Amino acid sequence: MRLYWRVLHYLKPYRGLAVASVLIIAATAMASLLTPWPLKILVDNALGGAPPPRIVVMILGPLAGDRAAVLALAVAGGLFIAFFNNLMHVLENYVNTKLNLSMGLDFRSDLFRHSQRLSMAFHDRRRSGMLIYQISYQCDAASGLIMAVPPLATNALTLFGMFAVIYLIDPKLALLSVSIVPLLYYSTRYYVKHIQPQIVRVKGFEAETLSVIHEAISMIRVIAAFGREDHEYRRYRAQGTQAVDERVRLTVRQTLFSLAVNMTTACGTALVLGYGAYHALKGRLTVGELLVILSYVAAVYKPLEAISQTVGSLQDQIVSLRLTLELLDTIPEVSDPPGARVSGRALGQVAFEGVQFRYADRVDTLKEIDFEVVPGQRVALVGPTGAGKTTLISLILRFYDPTHGRILLDGEDIRSLTLESLRKQVSLVLQEPLLFSDTIANNIRYGRLDATMDEIIDAAKAANAHQFICKLPDGYDTVVGERGAKLSGGERQRISVARAFLKNAPILLLDEPTSSIDSRTEAVILDALDRLMEGRTTFLVAHRLSTIRSVDTILVMDQGRVVGQGSHESLLHTCPLYRQLYELQSAPQRQPA
Ligand SMILES: Nc1ncnc2c1ncn2[C@@H]1O[C@H](COP(=O)(O)OP(=O)(O)OP(=O)(O)O)[C@@H](O)[C@H]1O
Ligand SMILES: [Mg+2]
């Protein structure tokens, strides 16, 4: 029930449509009551010659005595009702479809927005296929549940009405006919309780199947390179077969439940029939009366059956709704604290104070990190793989929060700023730049959505990208393919540098921006990066020490600690790890090629 209140909130913007839907249902019900009347008038009054009812006299006036006129009216009336019925049907279809889909879209949009706000730690845990399944497939449960209410209500009303009529005719029989209600109630409850866990399982399998497709398609190059298409196909089949088997098992159970409901009502009918026939035998009831009662009992059982069936079939949606609401209720681990401040443009002073961090199920990813960087300073982060360099810079963006200690921006804890204003201060350029499947211009514009074309071109020029973009057949309108697949790594990298130029943030995070690029392109990109670093506090992660000559200070990291800090020359003397890295990298160059 609590679930219901939460989804009802999605009905609010569509109050008008909801009212229209109820009105249409009422009109349809009225029309179905009227349906038999033209036929009755045709048979009794036009053909049989009985005096026409008052409504006919009212419509026809003096012509009411003319049987041909009554006949024409009856036929016209029948036609009109049929027309009205169909019109209502069309309207109902339109209103309900619109209502259902609009509510579904609102709910899905909320879920989409929420899942984007969930922290990186959440996304590390969840497979994206699962999220896609929840956002695109399970969300319809919310609107589906709301749309199930009108038929349920109609059935409930019919049930009460029919019961009242039978009670007036024969109270004992009426009570006897509802004696199966408790049985239905308990069997439905039993069913609901036992079916739900099974539905959760089936949905898990189905989501997993989707995850397999999603992963395979995003890894298509790896799959093709290793010739593992058949392997992936088998993996998909195995997963799919399991999902199908589970779904079939579930359907069998659902059908058995329907069977139980139908058998119960059949027993009820038999009970009433036997009891009534016995009364008829004793002469207390005429056969005609018995027939009337039986037809009414059938009329009571129909809505009763329908209600049980609906409650049964709604379980799927209830489970979906519960799962999606769980996602919607997941609190982002990284979020704005109460009273978070919106900051203007920062100067760019960054300090780590006793920062410790560990990923879930890991230990000591970062230990006691302490350093301070003045505005505009360029800092290089070097160290062996797995030392924690990427982790350190992702803490500045609050992709994760430190477990101990704090990070200060211009002397203030970054957790006291809103996430949005913090992230406005920072540009990130990744080792493997990711682009959207859009035009080059739009990909650059991602840095600042209101940038003009001139600004975009300036940014591209500053990033040494303008030349290669102009050589492309469509220039800035070239569509780059998913994740930028139609461009080379170096081209992609320059576009992401242009994006950072456009964003013009005071802090710059560069995570090995040139490590996957040949040395000639590297020189071009380093040149662009030099320009980009101008006047910004920069953290540059680099494996190749040759790329960090122009920095002010170097932080050497090892196993989550800062083991040395200073200039290249001083580190060569004070930091054995740095000297080792340096010697390793310069050694091959001394040998003749
Ligand atoms: N999302 C994650 N969840 C759990 N552990 C992680 C995650 N990302 C990184 N790690 C672990 O944290 C440690 C530090 O990783 P990090 O990516 O910061 O290293 P790095 O210094 O950037 O290495 P590289 O030079 O190879 O890029 C590694 O041991 C890694 O296995
Ligand atoms: Mg890294």
Side-chain angles (χ1 to χ4, degrees), residues 124 359-362 365 383-392 400 512 543:
D124 287 348
Y359 289 105
D361 63 40
R362 298 291 174 95
T365 312
T385 176
K389 305 177 294 291
T390 302
T391 308
L392 189 145
Y400 307 89
E512 301 183 39
H543 266 136

Side-chain angles (χ1 to χ4, degrees), residues 345 376-377 501 504-508 532-538:
R345 190 181 170 84
Q377 202 174 15
F501 262 113
N504 189 21
I507 296 173
L508 185 60
L532 182 60
M533 288 191 261
E534 203 68 51
R536 298 173 217 274
T537 309
T538 305

Side-chain angles (χ1 to χ4, degrees), residues 63 78 100 122 138 167 176 207 235 318 376 403 441 475 537 551 578:
L63 280 177
N100 193 354
F122 176 87
Q138 300 220 34
Y167 192 81
L176 195 63
R235 205 156 75 97
I318 290 179
T403 31
T537 309
V551 299
Y578 186 80

Side-chain angles (χ1 to χ4, degrees), residues 440-451:
I440 290 185
N442 282 341
N443 266 297
I444 298 179
R445 188 176 284 125
Y446 211 73
R448 205 177 75 234
L449 295 178
D450 58 2

Side-chain angles (χ1 to χ4, degrees), residues 476-542:
Y476 282 84
D477 292 328
T478 309
V479 175
V480 299
E482 205 164 10
R483 298 202 240 180
K486 293 187 192 167
L487 297 178
S488 77
E491 290 165 343
R492 249 180 288 161
Q493 192 55 286
R494 274 176 278 172
I495 288 176
S496 75
V497 171
R499 192 153 71 180
F501 262 113
L502 207 57
K503 184 167 179 182
N504 189 21
I507 296 173
L508 185 60
L509 306 179
L510 306 169
D511 195 354
E512 301 183 39
T514 59
S515 60
S516 58
I517 289 163
D518 71 84
S519 354
R520 207 165 57 95
T521 321
E522 182 179 34
V524 176
I525 291 178
L526 283 177
D527 174 55
L529 286 177
D530 264 340
R531 229 170 291 152
L532 182 60
M533 288 191 261
E534 203 68 51
R536 298 173 217 274
T537 309
T538 305
F539 289 84
L540 167 64
V541 178

Side-chain angles (χ1 to χ4, degrees), residues 106 126 130 198 200 261 301 304 368 423 439 462 514 589:
D106 286 355
R126 286 286 196 112
M130 289 279 184
Q198 204 178 353
V200 173
V261 169
Y301 282 176
L304 206 55
E368 289 300 327
R423 289 180 184 167
T439 61
T514 59
Q589 284 162 13

Side-chain angles (χ1 to χ4, degrees), residues 142-214:
S143 49
L145 272 180
I146 291 181
M147 298 310 285
V149 172
L152 266 181
T154 322
N155 277 320
L157 278 179
T158 327
L159 180 66
F160 280 115
M162 289 294 177
F163 177 75
V165 174
I166 305 183
Y167 192 81
L168 288 179
I169 300 177
D170 188 332
K172 262 193 211 148
L173 263 180
L175 291 177
L176 195 63
S177 72
V178 293
S179 63
I180 61 159
V181 169
L183 206 61
L184 276 183
Y185 175 77
Y186 282 109
S187 59
T188 309
R189 245 182 60 165
Y190 176 84
Y191 168 78
V192 165
K193 202 170 133 208
H194 286 81
I195 205 79
Q196 283 201 351
Q198 204 178 353
I199 296 179
V200 173
R201 269 239 313 274
V202 171
K203 289 195 180 292
F205 279 118
E206 287 171 353
E208 193 60 35
T209 313
L210 198 70
S211 298
V212 172
I213 302 181
H214 181 259

Side-chain angles (χ1 to χ4, degrees), residues 313-491:
S313 62
L314 280 183
Q315 291 315 306
D316 218 295
Q317 318 213 14
I318 290 179
V319 169
S320 290
L321 186 65
R322 268 218 334 254
L323 295 177
T324 40
L325 285 181
E326 237 167 61
L327 179 62
L328 207 55
D329 290 342
T330 311
I331 298 167
E333 281 129 278
V334 173
S335 61
D336 287 345
R341 219 168 46 76
V342 178
S343 82
R345 190 181 170 84
L347 294 172
Q349 185 220 27
V350 176
F352 276 55
E353 282 185 354
V355 170
Q356 295 185 21
F357 175 73
R358 64 179 190 85
Y359 289 105
D361 63 40
R362 298 291 174 95
V363 284
D364 290 348
T365 312
L366 294 179
K367 287 168 272 189
E368 289 300 327
I369 307 281
D370 272 294
F371 65 84
E372 193 188 321
V373 175
V374 298
Q377 202 174 15
R378 298 176 184 186
V379 185
L381 289 168
V382 300
T385 176
K389 305 177 294 291
T390 302
T391 308
L392 189 145
I393 63 172
S394 55
L395 292 187
I396 299 177
L397 274 165
R398 283 194 77 201
F399 283 169
Y400 307 89
D401 277 338
T403 31
H404 284 285
R406 46 186 205 149
I407 301 169
L408 307 176
L409 173 61
D410 293 350
E412 265 188 282
D413 193 330
I414 54 174
R415 275 171 294 196
S416 68
L417 306 176
T418 62
L419 265 185
E420 196 193 343
S421 68
L422 170 68
R423 289 180 184 167
K424 260 195 196 141
Q425 315 292 340
V426 185
S427 286
L428 174 68
V429 177
L430 294 169
Q431 169 178 5
E432 195 39 56
L434 295 177
L435 303 182
F436 290 93
S437 55
D438 201 340
T439 61
I440 290 185
N442 282 341
N443 266 297
I444 298 179
R445 188 176 284 125
Y446 211 73
R448 205 177 75 234
L449 295 178
D450 58 2
T452 64
M453 200 56 212
D454 285 339
E455 290 171 316
I456 289 175
I457 294 176
D458 285 346
K461 280 183 181 156
N464 288 343
H466 182 67
Q467 259 187 337
F468 94 79
I469 295 174
C470 288
K471 281 197 200 126
L472 292 170
D474 293 324
Y476 282 84
D477 292 328
T478 309
V479 175
V480 299
E482 205 164 10
R483 298 202 240 180
K486 293 187 192 167
L487 297 178
S488 77
E491 290 165 343

